Amino acid sequence: MIPDNTLEKIECLIIGSGPAGYTAAIYAARADMKPVMYEGMQPGGQLTITTEVENYPGYPEGIMGPEMMELFKKQAVRLGTDVRYGMITNVDFSGKAPYKLIVDESKEILAETIIISTGASAKWLGIPSEEKLNGRGVSACAVCDGFFFKGKDVAIVGAGDTACEEASYLSKICSKVYMIVRRNEFRASKAMQHRVMNTPNIEVLFSSETDEILGDAKVEGVRIKNNITGEKLEIPIQGFFVAIGHQPNTEIFKPYIIMDEVGYIITQPDSSKTNIEGIFACGDAQDKVYRQAVTAAGTGCMAALDAERYLSAKHHATLNN
Ligand code: NDP
């Protein structure tokens, strides 16, 4: 690629604004790398649709996810990060840096070094009734939409920490919460399982799969199937929540960056380096194991340090030539 000198050239571009991106921004700004962050479709990332965060060190009383992300942003901006609203919609990582990227399908920019912190998005069951009733009682975010089902009966699919956390949240707003669990056990941590099993208005339906969400204009019920007995059961509900995990937001990088079969970016051991020089990845876009705010922040720090070392080595190489 021949660099176009009329385009804006960014020294350190950060794509995505969750804990990984903001931590990278804080470190990059302090290292005088003049970071520019494009926030993406969901500014603040997944924590903006969560409730209380109890396991991030430094908040002994816990903190609400959206408030925590506001604080991350404030710190990144105070230290000099240029935070911009917008999406990176296309990239060209062929050739050498600076790499060309497209913002919001129209504006072209160049970046000397790139930190990918695009996170992950909620997965869906993929059944037709789910798509038909999405936004009409079907949701993948209990915290965003739970309020609409105050005093009503709802169901939630999933058996991980997210599903348990959301079931627990919904149990405080709704009359009754059915948890649809496909195996005969949870995946969630023991503490979360315990909380769910001890909440009187949560009923866990093990070995159960969603056959169909019922209703035409809005959710009126769910038909579940017991995957051991084959027995089907219709339950009247008004809200249907999906909490079955996430998909990394890495699609646009696929032609260039090495990923696993799911789409998690593969980084080199003990580093945030991708297969392309000057491009680093952190947070849920590359971590399928831990996926915590604090681990995302840790890898964001690694990415900024790696980017700084890369730029500094490049600078010295230029001076010595
Ligand atoms: P997980 O991948 O941990 O769990 C997904 C759940 O959805 C599993 O129980 C899985 O079932 C179920 N599932 C997947 N596909 C389907 C399907 N098609 N139909 C029915 N069920 C399905 O995702 P989470 O979002 O729960 O958690 C992600 C990570 O974030 C984890 O590491 C978790 O520990 C962490 N987390 C931590 C929190 C905290 O510490 N406060 C809060 C929330 C998340 P199966 O078990 O059968 O595979």
Side-chain angles (χ1 to χ4, degrees):
M1 188 194 65
I2 302 157
D4 177 346
N5 291 330
T6 61
L7 297 181
E8 179 187 16
K9 190 167 153 194
I10 294 164
E11 195 171 322
C12 176
L13 174 70
I14 299 169
I15 314 176
S17 56
Y22 279 129
T23 307
I26 289 164
Y27 274 76
R30 293 190 79 245
D32 208 18
M33 288 159 72
K34 302 170 195 65
V36 170
M37 171 190 279
Y38 278 93
E39 288 184 302
M41 205 154 60
Q42 189 177 42
Q46 289 176 64
L47 279 178
T48 56
I49 54 164
T50 192
T51 42
E52 199 172 355
V53 181
E54 285 183 330
N55 51 9
Y56 200 94
Y59 300 97
E61 307 303 327
I63 182 165
M64 297 306 280
E67 192 189 342
M68 185 162 113
M69 292 325 297
E70 268 308 308
L71 294 174
F72 270 59
K73 180 173 179 176
K74 216 169 163 183
Q75 190 173 356
V77 169
R78 181 177 73 80
L79 292 165
T81 309
D82 178 353
V83 179
R84 300 177 185 175
Y85 187 74
M87 284 272 290
I88 301 297
T89 49
N90 212 342
V91 300
D92 179 359
F93 294 164
S94 58
K96 290 204 173 303
Y99 302 106
K100 194 192 267 185
L101 303 97
I102 313 285
V103 183
D104 294 333
E105 317 263 2
S106 54
K107 186 183 161 195
E108 288 184 6
I109 53 168
L110 295 173
E112 197 58 52
T113 178
I114 298 166
I115 295 176
I116 300 173
S117 50
T118 45
S121 299
K123 280 203 263 188
W124 296 93
L125 293 172
I127 55 173
S129 50
E130 174 191 57
E131 201 180 327
K132 184 180 84 178
L133 294 165
N134 200 329
R136 299 167 179 206
V138 171
S139 164
C141 177
V143 179
C144 320
D145 301 325
F147 178 77
F148 301 120
F149 305 97
K150 197 165 191 266
K152 298 185 171 158
D153 292 355
V154 298
I156 183 162
V157 187
D161 281 321
T162 304
C164 289
E165 201 171 79
E166 298 205 339
S168 171
Y169 175 79
L170 290 168
S171 71
K172 294 179 193 127
I173 305 170
C174 307
S175 301
K176 172 110 189 184
V177 181
Y178 296 95
M179 265 192 102
I180 304 171
V181 174
R182 68 178 173 184
R183 289 184 296 140
N184 63 354
E185 60 179 356
F186 284 104
R187 179 177 293 274
S189 60
K190 288 275 178 284
M192 290 307 295
Q193 291 186 31
H194 189 73
R195 189 183 295 182
V196 161
M197 296 309 273
N198 286 290
T199 304
N201 64 338
I202 299 180
E203 182 177 338
V204 184
L205 305 157
F206 286 108
S207 306
S208 298
E209 284 170 36
T210 308
D211 199 38
E212 198 176 349
I213 306 161
L214 308 171
D216 283 327
K218 58 183 171 54
V219 172
E220 288 166 7
V222 61
R223 185 168 60 238
I224 58 164
K225 184 178 166 187
N226 185 300
N227 55 27
I228 297 171
T229 63
E231 190 190 338
K232 290 188 180 177
L233 175 70
E234 286 190 6
I235 307 169
I237 49 155
Q238 285 79 51
F240 183 87
F241 291 89
V242 182
I244 60 168
H246 292 84
Q247 175 71 34
N249 300 321
T250 54
E251 191 64 31
I252 55 165
F253 310 115
K254 226 171 220 165
Y256 308 98
I257 303 271
I258 295 176
M259 305 172 185
D260 70 8
E261 62 290 352
V262 178
Y264 287 98
I265 294 174
I266 294 174
T267 48
Q268 293 170 27
D270 300 324
S271 124
S272 65
K273 290 178 190 166
T274 67
N275 57 305
I276 300 185
E277 211 184 81
I279 303 183
F280 307 89
C282 51
D284 285 11
Q286 60 87 47
D287 170 22
K288 63 175 171 192
V289 180
Y290 302 104
R291 296 180 289 182
Q292 301 299 299
V294 68
T295 48
T299 55
C301 161
M302 286 166 64
L305 293 177
D306 288 341
E308 185 199 353
R309 283 169 196 158
Y310 163 78
L311 280 181
S312 146
K314 204 170 167 183
H315 182 66
H316 279 108
T318 315
L319 287 181
N320 292 335
N321 279 335

